[in-house]
Amino acid sequence: MTREEAIKLLHAYADGELDPAASLEMEARLAADPALRSAHERLRGLSRAIRQGTDYHPAPPGLRERLAGSMTASKRTEKSRAWLPIAAIGAAALLILALAAVLLRPADDERLLNDVLASHARATLGQRMIDVASSDQHTVKPWLSARLPFSPPVADYAAQGYELAGARADYAGGRPLAVLVYRRRKHTLEVFVAPGADAAPRAYSRDGLNMASFAQGGMQYWLVSDISREELDGLARLLRGA
């Protein structure tokens, strides 16, 4: 995807309208282009401001009666009465289409989950899962803090069987994330971290991967691995306990 193509598709990407392949290409372009990334952030900010700041004014209670009363009997011809059912059907069809567009659009958390999975696939296929290789949290945390607009919590759980192998900075869901990489036997576990409101734990399974998410202490966490559900939840409990 060229930069010009990415600019044209920026609005569609922000609205979650691109297919998975195009979304992956767009994420790669955003990660490599700070100016395009800034434009995307401004677009998301504008969208949030519109949703949160728009004023809604209900119609006065007597408006319907006044409109009905303004129609005189002489203007209610057979022709206008014949068109009323057709207009009503057309309005109903438009309403159904509008509701379907809203209901069928993926929710924000579902889009973010897809973005996290796409980031995992991108790192796995590109063999770029770790940018800073270290089990020392005092090495990993400053490295991430220098490259992200937030400072993620970092801990090693080697004593519990989850050894910190390193981390990378990534980009998903229209925002930067820290990705902590843990090893358990021959398995790799990725922990995506970004600022967010507290939320209850959730569990997912998709494409042969087990996933878990939760939020606490002002941070959101997404765990991704091919390890068993029980062992993935074990790391999630350690992170929540910390």
Side-chain angles (χ1 to χ4, degrees), residues 131-132 140-150 168-169 176-177:
D131 286 338
V132 54
V140 174
K141 184 178 178 70
W143 188 93
L144 289 169
S145 300
R147 290 161 176 80
L148 297 169
F150 64 95
R168 72 176 183 274
L177 301 103

Side-chain angles (χ1 to χ4, degrees), residues 50-143:
I50 292 174
R51 290 196 304 269
Q52 297 171 2
T54 302
D55 292 328
Y56 296 91
H57 302 284
L63 179 60
R64 181 176 180 178
E65 287 75 14
R66 289 198 299 272
L67 289 174
S70 65
M71 297 177 63
T72 61
S74 60
K75 294 181 180 180
R76 297 173 185 173
T77 62
E78 289 296 327
K79 183 177 180 180
S80 67
R81 282 197 297 269
W83 276 100
L84 280 175
I86 298 175
I89 292 172
L94 289 174
L95 179 60
I96 291 172
L97 289 174
L99 287 173
V102 172
L103 294 175
L104 293 177
R105 174 176 290 184
D108 287 343
D109 58 345
E110 182 68 17
R111 285 202 299 269
L112 185 54
L113 183 66
N114 290 335
D115 287 343
V116 167
L117 283 171
S119 174
H120 166 81
R122 200 165 51 239
T124 302
L125 294 174
Q127 296 183 347
R128 183 193 153 262
M129 194 164 284
I130 294 176
D131 286 338
V132 54
S134 177
S135 60
D136 182 4
Q137 64 192 52
H138 301 294
T139 298
V140 174
K141 184 178 178 70
W143 188 93

Side-chain angles (χ1 to χ4, degrees), residues 6 25 28 30 36 82-83 90 107 116 123 141-142 151 154 188 218 227 229 238:
E25 292 186 34
L30 288 170
L36 187 64
W83 276 100
V116 167
K141 184 178 178 70
S151 182
V154 179
T188 299
I227 205 168
R229 165 63 56 193
L238 290 171

Side-chain angles (χ1 to χ4, degrees), residues 161-230:
Y162 301 90
E163 180 184 5
L164 178 65
R168 72 176 183 274
D170 212 323
Y171 196 84
R175 54 177 168 170
L177 301 103
V179 186
L180 307 177
V181 181
Y182 290 87
R183 307 284 191 201
R184 183 172 175 85
R185 298 190 302 277
K186 296 182 179 180
H187 295 274
T188 299
L189 300 89
E190 287 184 296
V191 180
F192 294 77
V193 187
D198 289 2
R202 296 182 62 186
Y204 317 83
S205 292
R206 187 175 299 179
D207 301 329
L209 297 170
N210 284 318
M211 304 181 65
S213 69
F214 65 93
Q216 67 178 24
M219 291 288 172
Q220 289 181 298
Y221 298 79
W222 298 267
L223 285 71
V224 183
S225 180
D226 61 353
I227 205 168
S228 70
R229 165 63 56 193
E230 182 180 357

Side-chain angles (χ1 to χ4, degrees), residues 9-44:
L9 294 175
L10 194 59
H11 285 77
Y13 175 74
D15 291 335
E17 296 173 352
L18 298 184
D19 60 51
S23 295
L24 282 174
E25 292 186 34
M26 177 65 79
E27 287 170 9
R29 173 59 63 179
L30 288 170
D33 190 335
L36 187 64
R37 194 159 60 243
S38 297
H40 179 249
E41 287 299 316
R42 290 194 298 271
L43 186 60
R44 285 173 59 87

